């Protein structure tokens, strides 16, 4: 059986890849995708703990996180389309209307 | 066999996740993300989380990524040449920060605190005694996790209303 550590390490590396993407990209769509990647890494960690504790509470949590992530993607992309209507760019450096 | 499948699925996951970050074209990034989600579905199956694996494929690889591809194609984004050197520059200062984080996380994860044997919690074979993973999760969702289940439906309702308000054309 694969140990818990292997799954946790995979989750940590996946989360780091997503975080690098969020920091290094300026395209809002790719930043959203990297956020999804980070959420998935957390889901993987939760399911791994759930498996090794022989409990299903983690699955309920992951179910909630997936719903929230789907809602977040829908709302975020709608915001992006609304912004694109006013200013045709998805570069987060150029979207600075509410900057003080 | 389980170890072999774990190695295969985690390699696919990691390589395609790196390709999501590295690839200059947003559409191809999204396609690599779909591959990542499928491989993670395989990992969930390895952990005997069949319900979560199905949700992963249906919700993430299906619904969410279709939404992403739809928006990318709607906005008709093209990769720009000058972005690449700026991206490399940002990558150079982002990588050390994340490596520090990764080092801390791996230290925590490999510490003795994160050692759990398969006999912890409810014990081996508990899920099987409930009639399988999907039935057990369903029972949990409709009994002691009923409130979070209902809250997710409210979250979805709020998201639907919010998206319609945001994407609607303003009439003046």
């Amino acid at each position: 059986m694969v140990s818990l550590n292997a799954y946790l390490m995979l989750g940590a590396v996946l989360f780091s890849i997503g975080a690098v993407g969020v920091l290094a990209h300026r395209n809002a769509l790719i930043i959203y995708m990297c956020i999804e990647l980070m959420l998935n890494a957390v889901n993987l960690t939760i399911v791994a703990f759930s498996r090794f504790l022989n409990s299903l509470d983690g699955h309920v949590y992951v179910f909630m996180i997936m719903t929230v992530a789907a809602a977040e993607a829908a709302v975020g992309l709608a915001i992006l389309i609304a912004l694109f209507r006013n200013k045709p760019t998805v570069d987060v450096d150029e979207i600075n209307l509410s900057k003080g | 066999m389980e170890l072999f499948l774990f190695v295969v699925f985690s390699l696919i996951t990691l390589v395609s996740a790196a390709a999501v970050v590295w690839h200059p074209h947003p559409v191809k990034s999204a396609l690599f993300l779909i591959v990542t989600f499928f491989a993670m579905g395989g990992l969930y199956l390895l952990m005997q989380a069949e319900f979560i694996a199905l949700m992963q494929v249906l919700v993430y690889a299906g619904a969410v990524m279709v939404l992403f591809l739809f928006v990318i194609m709607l906005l008709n984004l093209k990769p720009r040449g000058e972005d690449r050197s700026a991206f490399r520059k940002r990558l150079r200062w982002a990588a050390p920060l994340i490596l520090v984080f990764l080092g801390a996380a791996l230290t925590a994860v490999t510490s003795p605190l994160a050692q759990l044997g398969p006999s912890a919690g409810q014990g081996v074979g508990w899920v099987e005694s409930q009639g399988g993973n999907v039935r057990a999760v369903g029972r949990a969702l409709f009994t002691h996790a009923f409130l979070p289940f209902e809250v997710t439906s409210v979250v979805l309702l709020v998201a639907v209303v919010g998206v319609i308000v945001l994407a609607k054309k303003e009439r003046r």
Side-chain angles (χ1 to χ4, degrees):
Chain A
M1 197 157 131
V2 182
S3 71
L4 174 64
N5 296 122
Y7 284 109
L8 296 184
M9 277 191 257
L10 179 65
V13 174
L14 213 55
F15 188 92
S16 306
I17 293 175
V20 166
V22 169
L23 288 177
H25 274 288
R26 282 297 173 270
N27 184 335
L29 278 163
I30 298 184
I31 291 178
Y32 275 136
M33 285 196 255
C34 292
I35 291 173
E36 297 290 324
L37 206 57
M38 290 161 75
L39 280 168
N40 265 279
V42 174
N43 279 353
L44 191 76
T45 310
I46 293 176
V47 173
F49 269 119
S50 194
R51 163 98 174 98
F52 284 86
L53 287 169
N54 287 301
S55 155
L56 284 177
D57 296 341
H59 293 208
V60 176
Y61 245 110
V62 170
F63 173 77
M64 264 196 92
I65 293 174
M66 278 185 175
T67 319
V68 172
E72 170 254 319
V75 173
L77 292 173
I79 290 174
L80 215 59
I81 289 181
L83 270 174
F84 200 79
R85 217 176 268 145
N86 292 322
K87 190 175 184 181
T89 177
V90 287
D91 192 319
V92 288
D93 282 339
E94 291 171 36
I95 303 169
N96 52 9
L97 276 175
S98 47
K99 200 169 170 183
Chain B
M1 187 62 190
E2 196 192 343
L3 185 67
F4 171 73
L5 283 176
F6 173 78
V7 170
V8 169
F9 281 132
S10 34
L11 277 182
I12 296 175
T13 306
L14 289 177
V15 169
S16 52
V20 170
V21 174
W22 186 249
H23 211 286
H25 201 291
V27 173
K28 284 173 189 162
S29 279
L31 293 178
F32 275 118
L33 196 55
I34 294 178
V35 176
T36 313
F37 287 161
F38 262 107
M40 290 186 75
L43 285 172
Y44 290 141
L45 278 182
L46 276 186
M47 288 189 273
Q48 296 175 6
E50 287 92 357
F51 175 71
I52 300 297
L54 273 176
M55 290 277 291
Q56 173 84 7
V57 173
L58 284 178
V59 175
Y60 268 120
V64 171
M65 292 319 293
V66 165
L67 193 66
F68 268 103
L69 282 174
F70 187 73
V71 171
I72 293 171
M73 291 174 182
L74 193 72
L75 300 184
N76 195 18
L77 300 172
K78 289 181 187 70
R80 285 180 298 179
E82 75 271 15
D83 281 350
R84 214 50 197 162
S85 59
F87 169 72
R88 287 220 178 80
K89 198 182 286 172
R90 282 192 299 268
L91 204 59
R92 267 201 289 280
W93 67 257
L97 282 177
I98 298 305
L99 278 179
V100 171
F101 164 77
L102 185 61
L106 288 182
T107 316
V109 152
T110 50
S111 75
L113 282 175
Q115 308 283 351
L116 284 174
S119 59
Q122 309 268 17
V124 182
W126 178 73
V127 172
E128 286 76 8
S129 73
Q130 301 287 304
N133 173 265
V134 177
R135 181 173 287 181
V137 173
R139 189 172 289 145
L141 279 179
F142 282 102
T143 52
H144 71 271
F146 192 61
L147 183 64
F149 180 66
E150 290 297 318
V151 169
T152 52
S153 65
V154 176
V155 167
L156 284 178
L157 180 69
V158 171
V160 168
V161 174
V163 168
I164 292 173
V165 169
L166 281 170
K168 179 179 80 173
K169 269 216 174 79
E170 280 176 51
R171 290 209 197 102
R172 284 178 191 163

